[in-house]
């Protein structure tokens, strides 16, 4: 497996392969909802471990499980953890989230789940698993998060903006009440392409919309807002 390393803003290395990379959605998710320094966290659908590693890069030092069903993705994170003793608080875990036993201890769970339910499915197994719901539906992700979270704990995910209503319905059905949401747009006035949602376990309804995240400024360059999120989170 050919791998390369990318370095995050504060020096944390992320190992990637052709099958396991990370994109803007994972960077936005890890900045949108972050655990406090010593909180217990879980990164579901972890891939190469980008969310867990980004949390570390932004200051998290509490226990963090990073759960990924593909052994190659877990292997990439294990390599990062093995090379940097400061990452010892991150526990790579190769497992199907449907098999996880909920312990009700986590303060924060995050997931960058598969977005698609139909259409073309890649013949490459890793890409198909990452992009299409199969054995990892939105309902299954929500159920796993609810089981892992303590009462009042937070669950954050990113998804296609046009699926916002479904996301809220699924979360509420799992007793994860949507509390914060933000839409990502290419530019001001554009159509949102991504939604970020944070919910709380067993809390009353009440949703607050955060300012839109704009990818580009008027000149088409990466916006100052996006650059700040990449450096510091939201």
């Amino acid at each position: 497996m050919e791998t390369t390393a990318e370095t995050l803003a504060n020096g944390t290395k992320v190992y990637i392969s052709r099958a396991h990379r990370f994109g803007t959605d994972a960077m936005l998710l890890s900045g949108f909802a972050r655990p406090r320094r010593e909180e217990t966290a879980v990164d579901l659908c972890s891939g190469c471990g980008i969310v867990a590693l980004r949390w570390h890069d932004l200051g998290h030092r509490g226990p963090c499980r990073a759960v990924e069903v593909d052994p190659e993705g877990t292997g990439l994170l294990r390599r990062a953890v093995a090379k940097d003793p400061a990452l010892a608080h991150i526990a790579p875990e190769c497992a199907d989230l449907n098999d996880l036993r909920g312990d009700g201890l986590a303060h924060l769970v995050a997931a960058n789940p598969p977005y698609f339910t139909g259409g073309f499915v890649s013949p490459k197994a890793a890409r198909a698993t990452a992009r299409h719901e199969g054995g990892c539906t939105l309902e299954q992700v929500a159920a796993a998060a609810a089981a892992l979270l303590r009462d009042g704990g937070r669950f954050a995910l990113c998804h296609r903006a046009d699926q916002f209503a479904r996301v809220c319905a699924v979360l509420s059905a799992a007793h994860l009440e949507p509390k914060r949401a933000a839409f990502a747009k290419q530019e001001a006035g554009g159509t949102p392409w991504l939604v970020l949602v944070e919910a709380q376990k067993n809390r009353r309804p009440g949703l607050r919309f955060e300012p839109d995240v704009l990818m580009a400024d008027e000149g088409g360059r990466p916006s100052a807002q996006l650059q700040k999120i990449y450096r510091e989170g939201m």
Side-chain angles (χ1 to χ4, degrees):
M1 177 178 61
E2 182 180 349
T3 65
T4 58
E6 295 198 15
T7 304
L8 300 177
N10 296 305
T12 304
K13 289 191 180 298
V14 184
Y15 289 90
I16 61 173
S17 68
R18 293 186 66 180
H20 290 281
R21 300 175 178 272
F22 62 90
T24 302
D25 50 357
M27 295 294 285
L28 294 179
L29 175 64
S30 54
F32 174 71
R34 296 158 50 190
R36 296 177 180 87
R37 184 176 177 86
E38 300 299 332
E39 285 186 335
T40 299
V42 182
D43 172 17
L44 296 177
C45 307
S46 182
C48 64
I50 177 58
V51 170
L53 292 170
R54 181 98 194 292
W55 283 341
H56 172 87
D57 200 63
L58 294 172
H60 181 235
R61 297 295 183 270
C64 183
R65 295 169 67 184
V67 181
E68 168 58 38
V69 71
D70 190 324
E72 181 178 311
T74 303
L76 291 167
L77 179 56
R78 284 185 176 140
R79 182 177 179 183
V81 170
K83 286 181 174 291
D84 186 349
L87 298 174
H89 66 104
I90 297 175
E93 187 173 340
C94 186
D96 186 324
L97 60 78
N98 296 299
D99 297 330
L100 296 180
R101 296 187 63 181
D103 54 16
L105 296 177
H107 295 90
L108 175 64
V109 175
N112 181 4
Y115 293 163
F116 299 99
T117 57
F120 172 77
V121 178
S122 174
K124 298 179 180 179
R127 184 167 177 79
T129 299
R131 290 175 58 83
H132 278 80
E133 290 189 12
C136 181
T137 66
L138 182 58
E139 289 79 3
Q140 289 168 329
V141 173
L148 291 163
L149 285 168
R150 62 183 60 204
D151 192 57
R154 297 167 288 145
F155 174 50
L157 81 163
C158 54
H159 214 289
R160 290 164 48 195
D162 63 5
Q163 295 297 301
F164 179 55
R166 179 190 171 213
V167 167
C168 289
V170 169
L171 293 180
S172 292
H175 304 287
L176 300 169
E177 196 59 43
K179 287 294 187 179
R180 297 171 56 222
F183 289 99
K185 300 178 177 180
Q186 185 60 32
E187 57 191 3
T191 300
W193 61 275
L194 187 80
V195 65
L196 302 155
V197 182
E198 182 184 270
Q200 278 189 286
K201 182 177 176 179
N202 294 331
R203 289 298 183 262
R204 296 178 180 177
L207 177 61
R208 181 178 82 249
F209 286 95
E210 304 284 354
D212 291 341
V213 179
L214 304 181
M215 300 292 102
D217 61 21
E218 294 180 355
R221 298 175 296 270
S223 69
Q225 181 188 23
L226 182 64
Q227 294 179 54
K228 181 177 183 296
I229 291 170
Y230 271 46
R231 291 193 310 269
E232 306 170 17
M234 295 175 68

